[in-house]
């Protein structure tokens, strides 16, 4: 698993880089995309579960639309080490 929110993967990012990415997403009401989805993985892109688990993720327009039931939404089992939403 390549999730930047997993403690064992944080060494791949510069110090503070993940916090900066999250802050930018929250400011823009955006989200982080799961690294294991999207065109390269051959499956539809998804919101990163690590990002979605953050309290500040409630500012994400995508997650607010999903919570309102306006998009098809599948909630997979939480990945080990990420907790549940």
């Amino acid at each position: 698993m390549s999730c930047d929110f997993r403690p064992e993967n944080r060494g791949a990012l510069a110090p503070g880089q993940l916090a900066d990415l999250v802050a930018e997403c929250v400011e823009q009401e955006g989200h982080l995309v799961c690294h294991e989805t999207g065109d390269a993985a051959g499956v539809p892109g998804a919101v990163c579960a690590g990002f979605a688990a953050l309290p500040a993720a409630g500012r994400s327009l995508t997650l607010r639309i999903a919570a309102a039931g306006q998009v098809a939404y599948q909630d997979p089992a939480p990945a080990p080490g990420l907790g549940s939403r």
Side-chain angles (χ1 to χ4, degrees):
M1 302 287 258
S2 62
C3 184
D4 292 328
F5 287 89
R6 292 181 183 280
E8 66 271 14
N9 288 341
R10 292 207 175 142
L13 296 175
Q17 187 176 2
L18 182 59
D20 290 345
L21 289 170
V22 168
E24 183 179 335
C25 287
V26 169
E27 180 182 321
Q28 296 177 6
E29 297 185 6
H31 62 276
L32 292 176
V33 176
C34 173
H35 289 95
E36 295 188 12
T37 65
D39 292 338
V43 296
V47 175
C48 172
F51 176 81
L54 297 174
R59 298 258 333 260
S60 165
L61 179 60
T62 299
L63 292 174
R64 291 194 323 258
I65 291 170
Q70 300 300 312
V71 295
Y73 180 75
Q74 180 179 352
D75 190 10
L82 290 181
S84 61
R85 292 189 274 141

